[in-house]
């Protein structure tokens, strides 16, 4: 039996993946659905990128997420053993440019693989690179908006696999998974609230299919909420000089409406540098990058109209949990009478006032041999009285509006009282 290495590349956009229907021009499995795929001669990593470029034209829009362990697929009819190398990439646009090997391209939820006439073991390929509880728990590069969507994808994918008979399980198993996802990142209110929303929606039927549908709707709802919050923020800061720190995709989407932008570098990861580069490369507004220590100086000496930051979590009383440095920035802004706006989807409002603050790797601050204690807190808490407004998809909320949202989220979490009981 001939052995052939191949790559299977899943491109993900807003929770969907790209599936391609194979034409008669390909040598195997014509008419069946697959991901971006092709022979991997020599270096699978290079082959993956080459195939994405050739079959979709989206390579410049793709960011590598992870690769999965290779596995074998034997096809006796073709006398071939395929050695499949799976890959996952995030893709920031959907305009596909196909070649002669494809008849149709569609962006669909990954669970659609289970309902299509797909190439052999396509679901296995996806499962090897799909988000998991472990990847949700370990992700220290992204904020809660991104991680909470990944958690919904874990729930959707598991429910879809159970509904399709791909794996065993029932409502109680999915309820246990939902609880485990919430426990994986207790500091991220958006994650718990979005999982609660899906489970509460599905709790009348209590079937895997209902959970799959609710989680899929939750994914799209999460992206829409961020888009709408960004639109509200754009209106609030249009024509202003704004200062920001760290990286919030929602804030970044709004900042091109500003007349000028000041960006704190946001040590130790310096994600503010990337924000400044993106703003400078994509808009006309002047961008100034400065050290974190210079925030108070910039607010005191430059004509800054507003501070605009993201929020990892908004506590019921209005305090804002965000990247360390937000509190100091807000206090300095209060001294200079500059309003501070926290921009976040309302799903980020927590149900209790006891934040679980995560801590970063101390070696990111100091990796020397001296006997010193190193602190690298990831988040700090900004008092509500330093926040002028909470910019959400519902509009700009005050502290009372935040409390109302917290009450709604408490009601959604009521499904947990019965848990996995059928």
């Amino acid at each position: 039996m001939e052995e052939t290495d191949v790559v299977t590349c899943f491109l993900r956009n807003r929770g969907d993946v790209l599936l391609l229907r194979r034409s008669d021009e390909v040598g195997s499995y014509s008419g069946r659905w697959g991901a971006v795929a092709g022979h991997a001669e020599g270096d699978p990593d290079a082959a993956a990128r080459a195939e994405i470029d050739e079959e979709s034209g989206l390579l410049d829009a793709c960011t590598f997420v992870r690769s999965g362990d290779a596995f074998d697929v034997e096809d006796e009819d073709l006398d071939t053993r395929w050695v499949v190398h799976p890959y996952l990439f995030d893709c920031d646009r959907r305009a596909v440019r196909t070649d002669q090997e494809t008849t149709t391209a569609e962006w669909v939820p990954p669970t659609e693989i289970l309902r299509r006439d797909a190439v052999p073991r396509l679901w296995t390929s996806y499962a090897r690179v799909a988000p998991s509880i472990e990847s949700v728990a370990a992700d220290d590069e992204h904020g809660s908006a991104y991680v909470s969507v990944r958690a919904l994808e874990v729930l959707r994918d598991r429910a879809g696999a159970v509904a399709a008979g791909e794996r065993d399980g029932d409502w109680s198993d999915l309820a246990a998974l939902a609880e485990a996802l919430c426990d994986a990142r207790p500091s991220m209110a958006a994650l718990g609230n979005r999982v609660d929303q899906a489970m509460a929606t599905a709790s009348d039927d209590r079937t895997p299919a209902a959970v799959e549908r609710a989680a899929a709707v939750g994914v799209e709802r999460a992206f829409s909420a961020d888009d709408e919050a960004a639109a509200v923020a754009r209106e609030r800061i249009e024509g202003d000089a704004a200062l920001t720190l760290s990286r919030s995709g929602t804030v970044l989407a709004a900042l091109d409406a500003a007349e000028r932008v000041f960006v704190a570098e946001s040590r130790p990861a310096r994600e503010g540098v990337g924000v400044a580069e993106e703003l400078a490369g994509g808009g006309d507004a002047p961008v100034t990058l400065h050290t974190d220590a210079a925030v108070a100086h910039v607010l005191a000496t430059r004509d800054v109209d507003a501070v605009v930051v993201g929020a990892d979590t908004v506590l019921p009383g209005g305090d804002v949990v965000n990247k360390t440095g937000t509190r100091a920035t807000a206090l300095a802004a209060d001294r200079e009478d500059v309003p501070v706006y926290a921009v976040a989807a309302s799903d980020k409002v927590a149900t209790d006032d006891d934040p679980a603050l995560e801590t970063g790797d101390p070696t990111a601050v100091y990796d020397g041999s001296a006997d010193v204690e190193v602190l690298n807190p990831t988040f700090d808490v900004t008092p509500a009285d330093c926040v002028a407004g909470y910019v959400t998809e519902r509009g700009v909320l005050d502290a009372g509006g935040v409390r109302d949202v917290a009450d709604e989220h408490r009601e959604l979490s009521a499904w947990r009282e019965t848990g996995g009981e059928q």
Side-chain angles (χ1 to χ4, degrees), residues 326-339:
T326 305
R327 181 186 179 101
T329 299
L331 292 172
D334 184 63
R335 171 68 175 78
E336 305 301 333
D337 292 323
V338 176

Side-chain angles (χ1 to χ4, degrees), residues 72-281:
D72 295 348
V73 178
E74 293 189 1
D75 189 323
E76 294 183 359
D77 292 337
L78 296 177
D79 193 32
T80 300
R81 177 185 296 109
W82 307 106
V83 182
V84 182
H85 301 264
Y87 289 84
L88 176 66
F89 291 81
D90 277 332
C91 188
D92 64 13
R93 68 173 188 269
R94 292 196 177 200
V96 180
R97 186 195 69 232
T98 59
D99 61 12
Q100 71 278 3
E101 295 184 355
T102 297
T103 61
T104 310
E106 292 185 22
W107 292 92
V108 297
T111 50
E112 187 68 15
I113 293 169
L114 299 165
R115 302 177 178 92
R116 301 261 175 134
D117 182 18
V119 299
R121 298 187 68 186
L122 185 61
W123 180 256
T124 301
S125 292
Y126 172 71
R128 297 215 169 187
V129 293
S132 63
I133 292 179
E134 292 76 18
S135 66
V136 166
D139 190 337
D140 58 2
E141 296 182 6
H142 299 97
S144 60
Y146 182 99
V147 176
S148 64
V149 169
R150 305 288 84 86
L152 284 173
E153 290 174 352
V154 174
L155 185 62
R156 176 202 61 195
D157 295 346
R158 176 75 63 84
V162 172
E166 180 70 19
R167 63 180 299 161
D168 295 333
D170 55 20
W171 167 265
S172 60
D173 296 308
L174 295 173
L177 173 63
E179 293 273 13
L181 285 166
C182 294
D183 291 342
R185 300 299 288 272
S187 68
M188 292 185 171
L191 190 157
N193 289 332
R194 286 171 173 170
V195 170
D196 281 343
Q197 172 83 55
M199 295 302 290
T201 301
S203 60
D204 287 340
D205 291 345
R206 294 188 168 223
T207 63
V211 176
E212 180 190 358
R213 287 193 300 271
V217 169
V219 169
E220 182 52 39
R221 177 178 167 272
F223 284 109
S224 296
D226 286 340
D227 292 344
E228 292 162 15
V232 175
R234 282 179 60 85
E235 293 180 4
R236 179 52 60 110
I237 66 172
E238 188 171 7
D240 286 348
L243 183 146
T244 192
L245 77 158
S246 190
R247 180 187 179 88
S248 160
T250 311
V251 171
L252 184 59
L255 283 174
D256 64 354
E259 183 179 58
R260 178 164 190 168
V261 183
F262 296 90
V263 185
E265 62 177 338
S266 309
R267 286 186 177 270
R270 301 184 75 224
E271 59 268 26
V273 176
V275 170
E277 290 175 339
E278 287 190 50
L279 289 170

Side-chain angles (χ1 to χ4, degrees), residues 7-27:
V7 293
T8 297
C9 307
F10 295 94
L11 309 190
R12 179 175 64 193
N13 176 277
R14 295 178 74 98
D16 292 339
V17 295
L18 177 64
L19 293 187
L20 305 175
R21 193 168 190 178
R22 298 162 68 86
S23 74
D24 292 336
E25 296 293 323
V26 296

